Amino acid sequence: RVSSDGKPPKFQPPPKPVIIDRKTQKEERRFLSPEFIPPRGRTAPLKYYIERKDMIQRRKVLNIPEFYVGHVLAVTTADPFASDKSKRFVGICIQRGGKGLGATFVLRNVIEEQGVEICYELYSPRIQAIEVLKLEKRLDENLTYLRDALPEYSTFDVNMRPVPRMAHEEIPVNKLQVRMKPKPWSKRWERPKYNIKGIKFELPEHKMKAAQKWSQPWLEFDMLREYDTSKIEAKIRKELSEELEK
Amino acid sequence: QGLLRKSVSHSLLSFGSTTGACRAIQKLTRVRLVDNSTLGNTPYHRPPKCIHVYNKTGVGKVGDKILLAIKGEKKKALIVGQKMPGPTMTPRFDSNNVVLIEDNGNPVGTRIKTPIPCTLRRREGEFSKVLAIARNFV
């Protein structure tokens, strides 16, 4: 273009390219399995360090994928008493417990109208493969209420195909509200102690109000229960990335 | 359907309250028969209950023999699934499952539809006939 002065237009440098360093972003958001974070206590950190080294050794051999409560997993274990020496179980992950090498996760499925739950140890040498069939987080961290829910919410096809993961960043949250069998339940899930958001409570209003009697609103402000894991997590992430590169 | 409790729905009326606790099988536990025997499938006003456990301790786990009281008769049975969590890697069922058995170990029914834990295969000698009629293994 020609400016009004007749002189060539003033040189405008091209816009600076914005460098989005995807590698560092990915490292910040990389999933840290909850069993790596040591529990709050007075044990020497050396014990956890040695345990973490063993966990990393095992992870180099067996690929333990990133999974949360609510994912549908298929686990193949070695079993001397099964035909073909190996056994495959498909189920939804109800809860993850334990720290360190004893970390466990419970898978639940309903086979032939019978609910079955198996508690697997993540780092057990009997596990041959763990596949994630469906990636889906739920509203709660503990889905033990599925035992008292209608069986259709815990049935998963044993031969289901793995659902492909869409974007590489987000894991979809399933805001499903589960319908329950009539009371009595194994635990009083309507009480605020369990803080469950994934149940569609069809109880009368006065019962829900009566359950609020057991609420302990001071617990979230209790400073002695605070456990800030940000620094510990950062240290462990650095350790992990160093060890896995070796 | 209104009386469908979380545990067994074999009897037409469930008296009293059903425990939600997960314990092993001992005297007076109500159990669920899993095979297709006539004793198990005919409805009765009382659920089958355990009256004795053939064990040093009175607590029966998977693979133990128990004495069952069904329809006014005494019959031996084998525990194939329990509500109590056992060692890791073993399945935990949502109901206490039991299979009717004769004194010599022969099963009374001809088919077991519900899944059976693979750990019973360890005692192939005693339970070979029961394992032969089982369909699914978990």
Side-chain angles (χ1 to χ4, degrees), chain A residues 79 81 87 108 111-112 114-121 124 147 182 184, chain B residues 4-5 32 88-89 91-95 97 113 115 118 121-122 136 138:
Chain A
D79 196 344
F81 306 110
K87 210 166 63 170
R108 179 183 165 83
I111 309 173
E112 300 270 354
Q114 169 75 63
V116 185
E117 289 175 14
I118 308 191
C119 178
Y120 288 106
E121 278 167 352
S124 165
R147 290 175 198 156
Chain B
L4 187 81
R5 301 281 183 111
R32 177 187 169 206
T88 48
M89 308 290 209
R92 185 200 86 102
F93 297 87
D94 273 1
S95 59
N97 298 339
K113 233 174 64 167
C118 280
R121 275 232 169 102
R122 191 170 292 151
N136 304 350
V138 172

PDB file of all heavy atoms in Angstrom, chain A residues 79 81 87 108 111-112 114-121 124 147 182 184, chain B residues 4-5 32 88-89 91-95 97 113 115 118 121-122 136 138:
ATOM      1  N   ASP A  79      -2.824 -67.326  36.582  1.00  0.00           N
ATOM      2  CA  ASP A  79      -3.483 -68.191  37.560  1.00  0.00           C
ATOM      3  C   ASP A  79      -3.186 -69.628  37.208  1.00  0.00           C
ATOM      4  O   ASP A  79      -3.541 -70.093  36.136  1.00  0.00           O
ATOM      5  CB  ASP A  79      -4.999 -67.951  37.496  1.00  0.00           C
ATOM      6  CG  ASP A  79      -5.707 -68.489  38.711  1.00  0.00           C
ATOM      7  OD1 ASP A  79      -5.114 -69.294  39.442  1.00  0.00           O
ATOM      8  OD2 ASP A  79      -6.863 -68.081  38.926  1.00  0.00           O
ATOM      9  N   PHE A  81      -4.546 -72.200  38.252  1.00  0.00           N
ATOM     10  CA  PHE A  81      -5.715 -73.070  38.276  1.00  0.00           C
ATOM     11  C   PHE A  81      -6.723 -72.741  37.200  1.00  0.00           C
ATOM     12  O   PHE A  81      -7.797 -73.295  37.174  1.00  0.00           O
ATOM     13  CB  PHE A  81      -6.385 -72.991  39.657  1.00  0.00           C
ATOM     14  CG  PHE A  81      -5.438 -73.289  40.760  1.00  0.00           C
ATOM     15  CD1 PHE A  81      -5.016 -72.297  41.620  1.00  0.00           C
ATOM     16  CD2 PHE A  81      -4.930 -74.567  40.917  1.00  0.00           C
ATOM     17  CE1 PHE A  81      -4.114 -72.566  42.633  1.00  0.00           C
ATOM     18  CE2 PHE A  81      -4.040 -74.850  41.921  1.00  0.00           C
ATOM     19  CZ  PHE A  81      -3.634 -73.853  42.775  1.00  0.00           C
ATOM     20  N   LYS A  87      -6.130 -65.429  33.457  1.00  0.00           N
ATOM     21  CA  LYS A  87      -7.519 -65.121  33.728  1.00  0.00           C
ATOM     22  C   LYS A  87      -7.757 -63.654  33.418  1.00  0.00           C
ATOM     23  O   LYS A  87      -6.962 -62.806  33.809  1.00  0.00           O
ATOM     24  CB  LYS A  87      -7.748 -65.359  35.225  1.00  0.00           C
ATOM     25  CG  LYS A  87      -9.125 -65.777  35.614  1.00  0.00           C
ATOM     26  CD  LYS A  87      -9.116 -66.292  37.036  1.00  0.00           C
ATOM     27  CE  LYS A  87      -8.714 -65.227  38.033  1.00  0.00           C
ATOM     28  NZ  LYS A  87      -8.929 -65.677  39.410  1.00  0.00           N
ATOM     29  N   ARG A 108     -15.316 -53.997  39.871  1.00  0.00           N
ATOM     30  CA  ARG A 108     -16.619 -54.605  40.122  1.00  0.00           C
ATOM     31  C   ARG A 108     -17.333 -54.869  38.801  1.00  0.00           C
ATOM     32  O   ARG A 108     -17.273 -54.054  37.881  1.00  0.00           O
ATOM     33  CB  ARG A 108     -17.470 -53.649  40.957  1.00  0.00           C
ATOM     34  CG  ARG A 108     -18.844 -54.192  41.232  1.00  0.00           C
ATOM     35  CD  ARG A 108     -19.695 -53.219  41.997  1.00  0.00           C
ATOM     36  NE  ARG A 108     -21.080 -53.598  41.937  1.00  0.00           N
ATOM     37  CZ  ARG A 108     -21.650 -54.508  42.742  1.00  0.00           C
ATOM     38  NH1 ARG A 108     -20.929 -55.065  43.681  1.00  0.00           N
ATOM     39  NH2 ARG A 108     -22.904 -54.831  42.615  1.00  0.00           N
ATOM     40  N   ILE A 111     -21.830 -60.507  36.799  1.00  0.00           N
ATOM     41  CA  ILE A 111     -21.777 -61.609  35.836  1.00  0.00           C
ATOM     42  C   ILE A 111     -22.908 -62.561  36.168  1.00  0.00           C
ATOM     43  O   ILE A 111     -22.979 -63.060  37.295  1.00  0.00           O
ATOM     44  CB  ILE A 111     -20.439 -62.358  35.943  1.00  0.00           C
ATOM     45  CG1 ILE A 111     -19.275 -61.392  35.876  1.00  0.00           C
ATOM     46  CG2 ILE A 111     -20.318 -63.402  34.865  1.00  0.00           C
ATOM     47  CD1 ILE A 111     -17.950 -62.058  36.143  1.00  0.00           C
ATOM     48  N   GLU A 112     -23.786 -62.808  35.195  1.00  0.00           N
ATOM     49  CA  GLU A 112     -24.895 -63.758  35.410  1.00  0.00           C
ATOM     50  C   GLU A 112     -25.689 -63.376  36.659  1.00  0.00           C
ATOM     51  O   GLU A 112     -25.963 -64.194  37.526  1.00  0.00           O
ATOM     52  CB  GLU A 112     -24.357 -65.190  35.568  1.00  0.00           C
ATOM     53  CG  GLU A 112     -23.579 -65.711  34.389  1.00  0.00           C
ATOM     54  CD  GLU A 112     -24.475 -66.427  33.391  1.00  0.00           C
ATOM     55  OE1 GLU A 112     -25.672 -66.592  33.695  1.00  0.00           O
ATOM     56  OE2 GLU A 112     -23.986 -66.781  32.321  1.00  0.00           O
ATOM     57  N   GLN A 114     -24.884 -61.968  39.265  1.00  0.00           N
ATOM     58  CA  GLN A 114     -24.164 -62.076  40.534  1.00  0.00           C
ATOM     59  C   GLN A 114     -23.083 -61.014  40.543  1.00  0.00           C
ATOM     60  O   GLN A 114     -22.230 -60.998  39.654  1.00  0.00           O
ATOM     61  CB  GLN A 114     -23.556 -63.475  40.658  1.00  0.00           C
ATOM     62  CG  GLN A 114     -22.577 -63.627  41.786  1.00  0.00           C
ATOM     63  CD  GLN A 114     -23.268 -63.695  43.119  1.00  0.00           C
ATOM     64  OE1 GLN A 114     -24.043 -64.600  43.389  1.00  0.00           O
ATOM     65  NE2 GLN A 114     -23.017 -62.734  43.955  1.00  0.00           N
ATOM     66  N   GLY A 115     -23.108 -60.125  41.523  1.00  0.00           N
ATOM     67  CA  GLY A 115     -22.093 -59.077  41.592  1.00  0.00           C
ATOM     68  C   GLY A 115     -20.785 -59.640  42.103  1.00  0.00           C
ATOM     69  O   GLY A 115     -20.760 -60.325  43.118  1.00  0.00           O
ATOM     70  N   VAL A 116     -19.709 -59.364  41.379  1.00  0.00           N
ATOM     71  CA  VAL A 116     -18.387 -59.865  41.766  1.00  0.00           C
ATOM     72  C   VAL A 116     -17.442 -58.685  41.881  1.00  0.00           C
ATOM     73  O   VAL A 116     -17.426 -57.816  41.012  1.00  0.00           O
ATOM     74  CB  VAL A 116     -17.817 -60.833  40.699  1.00  0.00           C
ATOM     75  CG1 VAL A 116     -16.526 -61.431  41.176  1.00  0.00           C
ATOM     76  CG2 VAL A 116     -18.811 -61.912  40.378  1.00  0.00           C
ATOM     77  N   GLU A 117     -16.644 -58.664  42.965  1.00  0.00           N
ATOM     78  CA  GLU A 117     -15.629 -57.626  43.108  1.00  0.00           C
ATOM     79  C   GLU A 117     -14.302 -58.304  43.351  1.00  0.00           C
ATOM     80  O   GLU A 117     -14.230 -59.234  44.145  1.00  0.00           O
ATOM     81  CB  GLU A 117     -15.941 -56.735  44.312  1.00  0.00           C
ATOM     82  CG  GLU A 117     -17.133 -55.848  44.092  1.00  0.00           C
ATOM     83  CD  GLU A 117     -17.472 -55.080  45.346  1.00  0.00           C
ATOM     84  OE1 GLU A 117     -16.659 -55.031  46.278  1.00  0.00           O
ATOM     85  OE2 GLU A 117     -18.581 -54.536  45.373  1.00  0.00           O
ATOM     86  N   ILE A 118     -13.271 -57.823  42.680  1.00  0.00           N
ATOM     87  CA  ILE A 118     -11.937 -58.392  42.923  1.00  0.00           C
ATOM     88  C   ILE A 118     -11.005 -57.244  43.255  1.00  0.00           C
ATOM     89  O   ILE A 118     -10.994 -56.218  42.567  1.00  0.00           O
ATOM     90  CB  ILE A 118     -11.417 -59.158  41.695  1.00  0.00           C
ATOM     91  CG1 ILE A 118     -12.447 -60.166  41.215  1.00  0.00           C
ATOM     92  CG2 ILE A 118     -10.134 -59.881  42.051  1.00  0.00           C
ATOM     93  CD1 ILE A 118     -11.927 -61.133  40.189  1.00  0.00           C
ATOM     94  N   CYS A 119     -10.225 -57.426  44.326  1.00  0.00           N
ATOM     95  CA  CYS A 119      -9.262 -56.420  44.745  1.00  0.00           C
ATOM     96  C   CYS A 119      -7.912 -56.834  44.197  1.00  0.00           C
ATOM     97  O   CYS A 119      -7.389 -57.878  44.571  1.00  0.00           O
ATOM     98  CB  CYS A 119      -9.242 -56.364  46.271  1.00  0.00           C
ATOM     99  SG  CYS A 119      -8.070 -55.205  46.904  1.00  0.00           S
ATOM    100  N   TYR A 120      -7.360 -56.045  43.283  1.00  0.00           N
ATOM    101  CA  TYR A 120      -6.064 -56.363  42.697  1.00  0.00           C
ATOM    102  C   TYR A 120      -4.984 -55.481  43.281  1.00  0.00           C
ATOM    103  O   TYR A 120      -5.220 -54.309  43.567  1.00  0.00           O
ATOM    104  CB  TYR A 120      -6.096 -56.108  41.183  1.00  0.00           C
ATOM    105  CG  TYR A 120      -6.887 -57.103  40.416  1.00  0.00           C
ATOM    106  CD1 TYR A 120      -8.129 -56.768  39.896  1.00  0.00           C
ATOM    107  CD2 TYR A 120      -6.409 -58.388  40.184  1.00  0.00           C
ATOM    108  CE1 TYR A 120      -8.872 -57.675  39.184  1.00  0.00           C
ATOM    109  CE2 TYR A 120      -7.147 -59.295  39.464  1.00  0.00           C
ATOM    110  CZ  TYR A 120      -8.375 -58.939  38.973  1.00  0.00           C
ATOM    111  OH  TYR A 120      -9.105 -59.841  38.273  1.00  0.00           O
ATOM    112  N   GLU A 121      -3.794 -56.043  43.404  1.00  0.00           N
ATOM    113  CA  GLU A 121      -2.645 -55.231  43.819  1.00  0.00           C
ATOM    114  C   GLU A 121      -1.953 -54.754  42.555  1.00  0.00           C
ATOM    115  O   GLU A 121      -1.616 -55.551  41.687  1.00  0.00           O
ATOM    116  CB  GLU A 121      -1.675 -56.081  44.651  1.00  0.00           C
ATOM    117  CG  GLU A 121      -2.091 -56.210  46.095  1.00  0.00           C
ATOM    118  CD  GLU A 121      -1.305 -57.284  46.814  1.00  0.00           C
ATOM    119  OE1 GLU A 121      -0.562 -58.020  46.163  1.00  0.00           O
ATOM    120  OE2 GLU A 121      -1.456 -57.379  48.039  1.00  0.00           O
ATOM    121  N   SER A 124       1.562 -56.331  41.853  1.00  0.00           N
ATOM    122  CA  SER A 124       1.729 -57.765  42.061  1.00  0.00           C
ATOM    123  C   SER A 124       2.334 -58.387  40.815  1.00  0.00           C
ATOM    124  O   SER A 124       1.931 -58.075  39.698  1.00  0.00           O
ATOM    125  CB  SER A 124       0.361 -58.382  42.338  1.00  0.00           C
ATOM    126  OG  SER A 124       0.409 -59.760  42.198  1.00  0.00           O
ATOM    127  N   ARG A 147     -22.671 -51.048  45.125  1.00  0.00           N
ATOM    128  CA  ARG A 147     -23.148 -52.329  45.654  1.00  0.00           C
ATOM    129  C   ARG A 147     -24.635 -52.250  45.995  1.00  0.00           C
ATOM    130  O   ARG A 147     -25.337 -53.244  45.959  1.00  0.00           O
ATOM    131  CB  ARG A 147     -22.395 -52.689  46.935  1.00  0.00           C
ATOM    132  CG  ARG A 147     -20.974 -53.052  46.694  1.00  0.00           C
ATOM    133  CD  ARG A 147     -20.257 -53.279  47.991  1.00  0.00           C
ATOM    134  NE  ARG A 147     -18.834 -53.210  47.756  1.00  0.00           N
ATOM    135  CZ  ARG A 147     -17.942 -52.915  48.672  1.00  0.00           C
ATOM    136  NH1 ARG A 147     -18.326 -52.657  49.897  1.00  0.00           N
ATOM    137  NH2 ARG A 147     -16.673 -52.865  48.362  1.00  0.00           N
ATOM    138  N   PRO A 182     -34.081 -50.264  47.019  1.00  0.00           N
ATOM    139  CA  PRO A 182     -34.713 -49.743  48.243  1.00  0.00           C
ATOM    140  C   PRO A 182     -33.840 -49.986  49.455  1.00  0.00           C
ATOM    141  O   PRO A 182     -33.059 -50.924  49.513  1.00  0.00           O
ATOM    142  CB  PRO A 182     -36.021 -50.548  48.329  1.00  0.00           C
ATOM    143  CG  PRO A 182     -35.854 -51.694  47.412  1.00  0.00           C
ATOM    144  CD  PRO A 182     -34.891 -51.278  46.361  1.00  0.00           C
ATOM    145  N   PRO A 184     -32.797 -51.205  53.233  1.00  0.00           N
ATOM    146  CA  PRO A 184     -31.538 -50.741  53.800  1.00  0.00           C
ATOM    147  C   PRO A 184     -30.342 -50.949  52.883  1.00  0.00           C
ATOM    148  O   PRO A 184     -30.274 -51.906  52.124  1.00  0.00           O
ATOM    149  CB  PRO A 184     -31.391 -51.620  55.048  1.00  0.00           C
ATOM    150  CG  PRO A 184     -32.110 -52.852  54.725  1.00  0.00           C
ATOM    151  CD  PRO A 184     -33.230 -52.481  53.830  1.00  0.00           C
TER     152      PRO A 184
ATOM    153  N   LEU B   4     -37.652 -56.390  47.339  1.00  0.00           N
ATOM    154  CA  LEU B   4     -36.366 -56.830  46.810  1.00  0.00           C
ATOM    155  C   LEU B   4     -35.274 -56.174  47.630  1.00  0.00           C
ATOM    156  O   LEU B   4     -35.008 -55.006  47.498  1.00  0.00           O
ATOM    157  CB  LEU B   4     -36.268 -56.415  45.338  1.00  0.00           C
ATOM    158  CG  LEU B   4     -35.046 -56.944  44.603  1.00  0.00           C
ATOM    159  CD1 LEU B   4     -35.288 -58.362  44.171  1.00  0.00           C
ATOM    160  CD2 LEU B   4     -34.769 -56.078  43.411  1.00  0.00           C
ATOM    161  N   ARG B   5     -34.672 -56.933  48.524  1.00  0.00           N
ATOM    162  CA  ARG B   5     -33.596 -56.381  49.331  1.00  0.00           C
ATOM    163  C   ARG B   5     -32.281 -56.609  48.608  1.00  0.00           C
ATOM    164  O   ARG B   5     -32.190 -57.349  47.665  1.00  0.00           O
ATOM    165  CB  ARG B   5     -33.561 -57.079  50.690  1.00  0.00           C
ATOM    166  CG  ARG B   5     -34.841 -56.950  51.470  1.00  0.00           C
ATOM    167  CD  ARG B   5     -34.969 -55.612  52.144  1.00  0.00           C
ATOM    168  NE  ARG B   5     -36.171 -55.532  52.937  1.00  0.00           N
ATOM    169  CZ  ARG B   5     -36.171 -55.480  54.268  1.00  0.00           C
ATOM    170  NH1 ARG B   5     -35.051 -55.488  54.915  1.00  0.00           N
ATOM    171  NH2 ARG B   5     -37.296 -55.418  54.916  1.00  0.00           N
ATOM    172  N   ARG B  32     -27.512 -68.528  49.883  1.00  0.00           N
ATOM    173  CA  ARG B  32     -28.225 -68.554  48.609  1.00  0.00           C
ATOM    174  C   ARG B  32     -27.764 -69.782  47.830  1.00  0.00           C
ATOM    175  O   ARG B  32     -26.572 -69.969  47.597  1.00  0.00           O
ATOM    176  CB  ARG B  32     -27.881 -67.276  47.849  1.00  0.00           C
ATOM    177  CG  ARG B  32     -28.509 -67.217  46.481  1.00  0.00           C
ATOM    178  CD  ARG B  32     -27.992 -66.023  45.734  1.00  0.00           C
ATOM    179  NE  ARG B  32     -28.383 -66.110  44.341  1.00  0.00           N
ATOM    180  CZ  ARG B  32     -27.737 -65.555  43.346  1.00  0.00           C
ATOM    181  NH1 ARG B  32     -26.658 -64.869  43.581  1.00  0.00           N
ATOM    182  NH2 ARG B  32     -28.159 -65.683  42.105  1.00  0.00           N
ATOM    183  N   THR B  88      -6.295 -60.847  48.579  1.00  0.00           N
ATOM    184  CA  THR B  88      -6.354 -60.066  47.334  1.00  0.00           C
ATOM    185  C   THR B  88      -6.232 -61.014  46.151  1.00  0.00           C
ATOM    186  O   THR B  88      -5.617 -62.067  46.236  1.00  0.00           O
ATOM    187  CB  THR B  88      -5.205 -59.057  47.263  1.00  0.00           C
ATOM    188  OG1 THR B  88      -4.000 -59.713  47.587  1.00  0.00           O
ATOM    189  CG2 THR B  88      -5.440 -57.902  48.207  1.00  0.00           C
ATOM    190  N   MET B  89      -6.792 -60.615  45.029  1.00  0.00           N
ATOM    191  CA  MET B  89      -6.867 -61.401  43.793  1.00  0.00           C
ATOM    192  C   MET B  89      -7.956 -62.459  43.852  1.00  0.00           C
ATOM    193  O   MET B  89      -8.213 -63.114  42.864  1.00  0.00           O
ATOM    194  CB  MET B  89      -5.544 -62.118  43.442  1.00  0.00           C
ATOM    195  CG  MET B  89      -4.372 -61.212  43.430  1.00  0.00           C
ATOM    196  SD  MET B  89      -4.435 -60.091  42.050  1.00  0.00           S
ATOM    197  CE  MET B  89      -2.752 -59.796  41.765  1.00  0.00           C
ATOM    198  N   PRO B  91     -12.048 -63.329  44.216  1.00  0.00           N
ATOM    199  CA  PRO B  91     -13.275 -62.566  44.030  1.00  0.00           C
ATOM    200  C   PRO B  91     -14.118 -62.532  45.306  1.00  0.00           C
ATOM    201  O   PRO B  91     -14.075 -63.441  46.118  1.00  0.00           O
ATOM    202  CB  PRO B  91     -14.014 -63.332  42.921  1.00  0.00           C
ATOM    203  CG  PRO B  91     -13.479 -64.704  42.995  1.00  0.00           C
ATOM    204  CD  PRO B  91     -12.092 -64.616  43.517  1.00  0.00           C
ATOM    205  N   ARG B  92     -14.876 -61.444  45.428  1.00  0.00           N
ATOM    206  CA  ARG B  92     -15.790 -61.287  46.553  1.00  0.00           C
ATOM    207  C   ARG B  92     -17.169 -61.126  45.944  1.00  0.00           C
ATOM    208  O   ARG B  92     -17.376 -60.272  45.098  1.00  0.00           O
ATOM    209  CB  ARG B  92     -15.402 -60.021  47.333  1.00  0.00           C
ATOM    210  CG  ARG B  92     -16.187 -59.793  48.598  1.00  0.00           C
ATOM    211  CD  ARG B  92     -16.075 -58.342  49.002  1.00  0.00           C
ATOM    212  NE  ARG B  92     -17.104 -57.591  48.308  1.00  0.00           N
ATOM    213  CZ  ARG B  92     -18.237 -57.191  48.868  1.00  0.00           C
ATOM    214  NH1 ARG B  92     -18.474 -57.455  50.129  1.00  0.00           N
ATOM    215  NH2 ARG B  92     -19.119 -56.530  48.170  1.00  0.00           N
ATOM    216  N   PHE B  93     -18.082 -61.974  46.353  1.00  0.00           N
ATOM    217  CA  PHE B  93     -19.398 -61.960  45.739  1.00  0.00           C
ATOM    218  C   PHE B  93     -20.356 -61.112  46.550  1.00  0.00           C
ATOM    219  O   PHE B  93     -20.121 -60.829  47.712  1.00  0.00           O
ATOM    220  CB  PHE B  93     -19.936 -63.398  45.617  1.00  0.00           C
ATOM    221  CG  PHE B  93     -19.087 -64.249  44.723  1.00  0.00           C
ATOM    222  CD1 PHE B  93     -17.993 -64.923  45.225  1.00  0.00           C
ATOM    223  CD2 PHE B  93     -19.372 -64.370  43.382  1.00  0.00           C
ATOM    224  CE1 PHE B  93     -17.199 -65.700  44.399  1.00  0.00           C
ATOM    225  CE2 PHE B  93     -18.586 -65.142  42.562  1.00  0.00           C
ATOM    226  CZ  PHE B  93     -17.495 -65.808  43.075  1.00  0.00           C
ATOM    227  N   ASP B  94     -21.476 -60.740  45.919  1.00  0.00           N
ATOM    228  CA  ASP B  94     -22.451 -59.916  46.616  1.00  0.00           C
ATOM    229  C   ASP B  94     -23.414 -60.732  47.447  1.00  0.00           C
ATOM    230  O   ASP B  94     -24.292 -60.176  48.080  1.00  0.00           O
ATOM    231  CB  ASP B  94     -23.250 -59.098  45.592  1.00  0.00           C
ATOM    232  CG  ASP B  94     -22.554 -57.800  45.250  1.00  0.00           C
ATOM    233  OD1 ASP B  94     -21.449 -57.568  45.793  1.00  0.00           O
ATOM    234  OD2 ASP B  94     -23.095 -57.024  44.463  1.00  0.00           O
ATOM    235  N   SER B  95     -23.303 -62.053  47.424  1.00  0.00           N
ATOM    236  CA  SER B  95     -24.171 -62.894  48.256  1.00  0.00           C
ATOM    237  C   SER B  95     -23.388 -64.146  48.612  1.00  0.00           C
ATOM    238  O   SER B  95     -22.476 -64.536  47.892  1.00  0.00           O
ATOM    239  CB  SER B  95     -25.443 -63.263  47.503  1.00  0.00           C
ATOM    240  OG  SER B  95     -25.124 -63.947  46.331  1.00  0.00           O
ATOM    241  N   ASN B  97     -22.861 -67.675  48.426  1.00  0.00           N
ATOM    242  CA  ASN B  97     -23.334 -68.705  47.516  1.00  0.00           C
ATOM    243  C   ASN B  97     -22.931 -70.075  48.003  1.00  0.00           C
ATOM    244  O   ASN B  97     -21.858 -70.277  48.546  1.00  0.00           O
ATOM    245  CB  ASN B  97     -22.737 -68.493  46.121  1.00  0.00           C
ATOM    246  CG  ASN B  97     -23.165 -67.180  45.537  1.00  0.00           C
ATOM    247  OD1 ASN B  97     -24.158 -66.622  45.961  1.00  0.00           O
ATOM    248  ND2 ASN B  97     -22.403 -66.697  44.595  1.00  0.00           N
ATOM    249  N   LYS B 113     -24.900 -71.861  37.266  1.00  0.00           N
ATOM    250  CA  LYS B 113     -24.780 -70.728  36.336  1.00  0.00           C
ATOM    251  C   LYS B 113     -23.881 -69.631  36.874  1.00  0.00           C
ATOM    252  O   LYS B 113     -23.170 -68.986  36.125  1.00  0.00           O
ATOM    253  CB  LYS B 113     -26.183 -70.158  36.073  1.00  0.00           C
ATOM    254  CG  LYS B 113     -26.505 -70.060  34.609  1.00  0.00           C
ATOM    255  CD  LYS B 113     -27.918 -69.650  34.330  1.00  0.00           C
ATOM    256  CE  LYS B 113     -28.270 -68.275  34.802  1.00  0.00           C
ATOM    257  NZ  LYS B 113     -29.561 -67.796  34.250  1.00  0.00           N
ATOM    258  N   PRO B 115     -20.867 -67.486  38.641  1.00  0.00           N
ATOM    259  CA  PRO B 115     -19.413 -67.695  38.583  1.00  0.00           C
ATOM    260  C   PRO B 115     -18.859 -68.276  39.876  1.00  0.00           C
ATOM    261  O   PRO B 115     -19.354 -68.002  40.961  1.00  0.00           O
ATOM    262  CB  PRO B 115     -18.860 -66.288  38.332  1.00  0.00           C
ATOM    263  CG  PRO B 115     -19.947 -65.363  38.658  1.00  0.00           C
ATOM    264  CD  PRO B 115     -21.231 -66.077  38.479  1.00  0.00           C
ATOM    265  N   CYS B 118     -11.757 -69.416  40.968  1.00  0.00           N
ATOM    266  CA  CYS B 118     -10.801 -70.397  40.445  1.00  0.00           C
ATOM    267  C   CYS B 118     -10.047 -71.105  41.556  1.00  0.00           C
ATOM    268  O   CYS B 118      -9.458 -72.161  41.340  1.00  0.00           O
ATOM    269  CB  CYS B 118      -9.778 -69.710  39.542  1.00  0.00           C
ATOM    270  SG  CYS B 118     -10.398 -69.401  37.898  1.00  0.00           S
ATOM    271  N   ARG B 121     -10.283 -74.799  42.310  1.00  0.00           N
ATOM    272  CA  ARG B 121      -9.625 -75.782  41.447  1.00  0.00           C
ATOM    273  C   ARG B 121      -8.409 -76.417  42.116  1.00  0.00           C
ATOM    274  O   ARG B 121      -7.952 -77.471  41.704  1.00  0.00           O
ATOM    275  CB  ARG B 121      -9.157 -75.101  40.161  1.00  0.00           C
ATOM    276  CG  ARG B 121     -10.213 -75.020  39.096  1.00  0.00           C
ATOM    277  CD  ARG B 121      -9.657 -75.592  37.814  1.00  0.00           C
ATOM    278  NE  ARG B 121     -10.686 -75.774  36.822  1.00  0.00           N
ATOM    279  CZ  ARG B 121     -10.873 -74.961  35.819  1.00  0.00           C
ATOM    280  NH1 ARG B 121     -10.124 -73.898  35.678  1.00  0.00           N
ATOM    281  NH2 ARG B 121     -11.818 -75.200  34.946  1.00  0.00           N
ATOM    282  N   ARG B 122      -7.931 -75.715  43.160  1.00  0.00           N
ATOM    283  CA  ARG B 122      -6.758 -76.236  43.855  1.00  0.00           C
ATOM    284  C   ARG B 122      -7.085 -77.599  44.454  1.00  0.00           C
ATOM    285  O   ARG B 122      -6.245 -78.489  44.493  1.00  0.00           O
ATOM    286  CB  ARG B 122      -6.354 -75.264  44.961  1.00  0.00           C
ATOM    287  CG  ARG B 122      -5.007 -75.565  45.573  1.00  0.00           C
ATOM    288  CD  ARG B 122      -4.559 -74.444  46.469  1.00  0.00           C
ATOM    289  NE  ARG B 122      -4.271 -73.260  45.711  1.00  0.00           N
ATOM    290  CZ  ARG B 122      -4.391 -72.031  46.190  1.00  0.00           C
ATOM    291  NH1 ARG B 122      -4.793 -71.844  47.431  1.00  0.00           N
ATOM    292  NH2 ARG B 122      -4.125 -70.986  45.449  1.00  0.00           N
ATOM    293  N   ASN B 136     -19.144 -70.839  34.665  1.00  0.00           N
ATOM    294  CA  ASN B 136     -18.190 -69.730  34.623  1.00  0.00           C
ATOM    295  C   ASN B 136     -17.225 -69.826  35.769  1.00  0.00           C
ATOM    296  O   ASN B 136     -17.601 -70.176  36.878  1.00  0.00           O
ATOM    297  CB  ASN B 136     -18.912 -68.383  34.801  1.00  0.00           C
ATOM    298  CG  ASN B 136     -19.991 -68.185  33.792  1.00  0.00           C
ATOM    299  OD1 ASN B 136     -20.083 -68.943  32.871  1.00  0.00           O
ATOM    300  ND2 ASN B 136     -20.783 -67.170  34.011  1.00  0.00           N
ATOM    301  N   VAL B 138     -14.422 -67.324  37.791  1.00  0.00           N
ATOM    302  CA  VAL B 138     -13.945 -65.943  37.910  1.00  0.00           C
ATOM    303  C   VAL B 138     -12.520 -65.969  38.463  1.00  0.00           C
ATOM    304  O   VAL B 138     -12.272 -66.654  39.430  1.00  0.00           O
ATOM    305  CB  VAL B 138     -14.860 -65.130  38.847  1.00  0.00           C
ATOM    306  CG1 VAL B 138     -14.265 -63.778  39.118  1.00  0.00           C
ATOM    307  CG2 VAL B 138     -16.226 -65.006  38.236  1.00  0.00           C
TER     308      VAL B 138
END
